[in-house]
C-alpha cells in the first residue's frame, strides 16, 4: 500500500470514516426527518449532539496531527 | 491521535490474502444464496409482502444498496490504507456475520414464534440471511466510523473505555434514526411485537443491542493484531469469528432472560417519549 501522501486526496482519506457517518447523519437523519410529516422528529435530532461534538473533536485532532506531520 | 494513525499499513502477506479471499467467497456466497431465497422463494422464510411500503420496487431496492455501498467504500478505503487489507476484510466480513446473524436470529425467530420481540426489514436488493446487505454495510460504516472517532479522541484510554465510547456514539445516532426510519413515510423496517419498555416508541432492547454489538465487536477487533501475531492469519480469523459467535449466543441468552423478567415485572408496556414521538 502506498502512502496516502500530502495531496488533497491523500489528506482527505484521513477524514473518510467521519465523512461517512456525517453523510449518513445528513441524508438518513436530517433529510429523512424532514420528509416525515411530524416536525418534532427533526427536533429529536438534538439527541445526536454528542455524536456531532465527537465528529468535530476528531476532525480537529486529525487536522492538527496532519499539520504537525508536515 | 498518535503517529500510528497517519502511517499506511504494509501490504497483506500471501497467507493473509488467502484468508481474505476465503472470507470474501464465503460472505459472497451467503449474500447470493440469501438474495435468491428472499426475492425468488419468499415462502420459504415467510417473507412478508411489501404492500404499501414506499420505494420498494426491485430497482429502487438495489439503488438504495448503492448508497450504503458508497459510504462503506469510504470506510473500507480508510481501513485498507491504515489498517491493511487483512483487518479491513475481517471487519467487513465481521459486520455481515455478526450483525447479519444477530438481526436474522430475531427476524426469523419472530416469524416462527410469538415469544421474541421481532421485526422485519422491508427493503433491500441484496440480502444476507434475512438482513439486507445495506443494513450490514450500514453497520460496517457506522461501527468503523464511531470506533475511529473514539480512537482518535481517546488514543491512550483503556480498550473497554474506547469500545464503550464507540458504542455510545453509534447508539446515540440510532436514537434518532430508528424513530425516523420506522415512520409510515419510510417504513425501512416494521416492529411486529412491541417491547414492554420503549424509548421514542422503539423497543429499548434495540438500543441495548446496538450498544452491545459495537461494544463487544470493538473489543475483539482491538485484540485482532495480537491474535494475528501469535496464531497466524488463518487461526486468528477463526478465533475472531469464534469469539463473535460466542458473543451472539451470550447476547441471545441475555435478551431472552431480559424479556422474561420484563414481562413478569411489567404487565403494561411503557413508552418513554418526548413530544409524543
Amino acid at each position: 500500500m502506498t502512502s496516502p501522501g500530502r495531496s488533497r486526496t491523500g489528506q482527505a482519506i484521513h477524514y473518510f470514516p467521519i465523512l461517512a457517518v456525517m453523510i449518513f447523519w445528513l441524508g438518513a437523519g436530517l433529510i429523512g426527518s424532514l420528509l416525515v410529516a411530524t416536525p418534532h422528529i427533526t427536533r429529536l435530532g438534538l439527541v445526536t449532539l454528542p455524536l456531532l461534538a465527537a465528529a468535530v473533536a476528531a476532525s480537529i485532532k486529525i487536522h492538527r496531527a496532519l499539520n504537525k506531520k508536515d | 491521535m498518535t503517529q500510528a494513525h497517519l502511517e499506511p499499513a504494509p501490504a497483506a502477506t500471501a497467507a493473509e490474502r488467502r484468508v481474505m479471499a476465503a472470507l470474501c467467497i464465503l460472505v459472497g456466497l451467503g449474500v447470493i444464496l440469501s438474495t435468491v431465497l428472499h426475492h425468488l422463494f419468499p415462502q420459504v422464510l415467510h417473507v412478508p409482502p411489501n404492500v404499501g411500503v414506499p420505494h420498494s420496487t426491485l430497482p429502487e431496492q438495489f439503488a438504495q444498496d448503492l448508497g450504503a455501498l458508497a459510504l462503506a467504500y469510504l470506510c473500507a478505503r480508510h481501513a485498507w490504507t491504515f489498517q491493511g487489507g487483512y483487518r479491513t476484510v475481517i471487519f467487513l466480513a465481521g459486520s455481515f456475520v455478526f450483525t447479519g446473524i444477530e438481526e436474522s436470529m430475531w427476524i426469523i425467530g419472530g416469524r416462527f414464534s410469538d415469544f421474541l420481540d421481532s421485526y422485519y426489514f422491508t427493503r433491500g436488493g441484496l440480502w444476507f440471511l434475512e438482513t439486507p446487505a445495506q443494513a450490514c454495510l450500514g453497520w460496517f460504516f457506522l461501527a468503523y466510523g464511531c470506533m475511529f472517532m473514539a480512537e482518535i479522541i481517546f488514543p491512550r484510554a483503556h480498550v473497554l473505555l474506547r469500545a464503550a465510547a464507540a458504542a455510545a456514539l453509534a447508539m446515540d445516532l440510532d436514537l434518532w434514526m430508528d424513530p425516523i426510519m420506522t415512520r409510515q413515510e419510510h417504513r425501512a423496517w416494521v416492529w411486529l411485537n412491541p417491547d414492554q419498555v420503549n424509548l421514542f416508541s422503539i423497543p429499548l432492547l434495540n438500543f441495548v443491542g446496538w450498544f452491545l454489538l459495537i461494544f463487544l465487536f470493538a473489543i475483539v477487533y482491538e485484540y485482532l493484531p495480537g491474535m494475528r501475531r501469535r496464531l497466524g492469519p488463518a487461526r486468528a480469523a477463526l478465533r475472531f469469528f469464534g469469539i463473535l459467535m460466542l458473543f451472539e449466543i451470550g447476547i441471545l441468552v441475555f435478551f431472552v432472560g431480559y424479556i422474561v423478567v420484563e414481562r413478569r415485572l411489567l404487565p403494561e408496556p411503557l413508552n418513554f417519549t418526548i413530544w409524543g414521538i
Side-chain angles (χ1 to χ4, degrees), chain B residues 24 26 74 77 80 87-88 93 98 112 122 197 206 209 215 225:
Chain B
C24 289
L26 286 174
L74 290 176
R77 175 85 194 272
W80 197 284
R87 290 180 73 193
T88 306
F98 196 39
F112 297 97
T122 55
V197 185
N206 170 71
F215 177 68

Side-chain angles (χ1 to χ4, degrees), chain B residues 13 20 35-36 39 171 182 270:
Chain B
T13 63
M20 290 155 62
T35 303
V36 169
H39 289 299
M171 190 188 69
T182 50
L270 290 175

Side-chain angles (χ1 to χ4, degrees), chain B residues 7 17 21 57 64 84 91 103 121 177 252:
Chain B
E7 298 300 330
R17 281 200 297 272
T57 62
Q64 287 158 30
F91 200 126
E103 302 249 27
F121 289 98
M177 288 300 154
L252 181 67

Side-chain angles (χ1 to χ4, degrees), chain A residues 1 13 32 37 41 45 47 61, chain B residues 78 80 82 152 172 176 185-186:
Chain A
M1 177 61 63
I13 291 177
I41 212 107
V47 298
K61 284 189 98 170
Chain B
H78 180 275
W80 197 284
F82 297 105
I152 295 296
D172 183 41
W176 190 33
E185 291 84 349
H186 298 296

Side-chain angles (χ1 to χ4, degrees), chain B residues 22-36:
Chain B
L23 285 172
C24 289
I25 290 169
L26 286 174
V27 172
L29 278 175
V31 169
I32 291 168
L33 290 174
S34 306
T35 303
V36 169

Side-chain angles (χ1 to χ4, degrees), chain A residues 1 3-4 13-14 16-17 23 25 28-30 32 35 37-38 40-41 45 47-48 50-51 54-55 61-62 65, chain B residues 1 6 8-9 71 74 77-78 80 82 144 148-149 152-153 169 172-173 176-177 180-181 183 185-186 200 275 277:
Chain A
M1 177 61 63
S3 168
I13 291 177
H14 293 280
F16 275 8
I23 291 174
W25 181 93
L30 192 61
L35 294 174
T38 315
H40 294 317
I41 212 107
V47 298
T48 63
L51 176 81
K61 284 189 98 170
I62 294 169
Chain B
M1 186 169 195
L6 302 175
L71 296 183
L74 290 176
R77 175 85 194 272
H78 180 275
W80 197 284
F82 297 105
Y144 186 84
F148 174 70
M149 281 193 256
I152 295 296
I153 298 170
L169 288 176
D172 183 41
L173 183 58
W176 190 33
M177 288 300 154
I180 297 170
M181 287 301 152
R183 289 278 158 158
E185 291 84 349
H186 298 296
F200 308 136
W275 305 310
I277 293 167

Side-chain angles (χ1 to χ4, degrees), chain B residues 101-202:
Chain B
I101 291 179
E102 171 66 23
E103 302 249 27
S104 299
M105 206 159 61
W106 291 93
I107 293 166
I108 297 170
R111 283 186 196 159
F112 297 97
S113 127
D114 290 335
F115 175 74
L116 294 175
D117 295 335
S118 188
Y119 56 95
Y120 67 90
F121 289 98
T122 55
R123 296 187 291 258
L126 298 172
W127 292 74
F128 183 77
L129 303 175
E130 265 300 276
T131 306
Q134 55 180 271
C136 299
L137 291 170
W139 195 90
F140 167 72
F141 69 72
L142 284 180
Y144 186 84
C146 291
M147 281 164 62
F148 174 70
M149 281 193 256
E151 204 176 306
I152 295 296
I153 298 170
F154 308 112
R156 288 176 188 86
H158 191 273
V159 55
L160 292 178
L161 179 69
R162 270 210 307 271
L169 288 176
M171 190 188 69
D172 183 41
L173 183 58
D174 198 49
L175 281 172
W176 190 33
M177 288 300 154
D178 279 21
I180 297 170
M181 287 301 152
T182 50
R183 289 278 158 158
Q184 203 60 28
E185 291 84 349
H186 298 296
R187 288 186 74 188
W189 60 93
V190 176
W191 291 103
L192 293 175
N193 305 327
D195 197 9
Q196 292 302 93
V197 185
N198 299 280
L199 183 59
F200 308 136
S201 300
I202 303 294

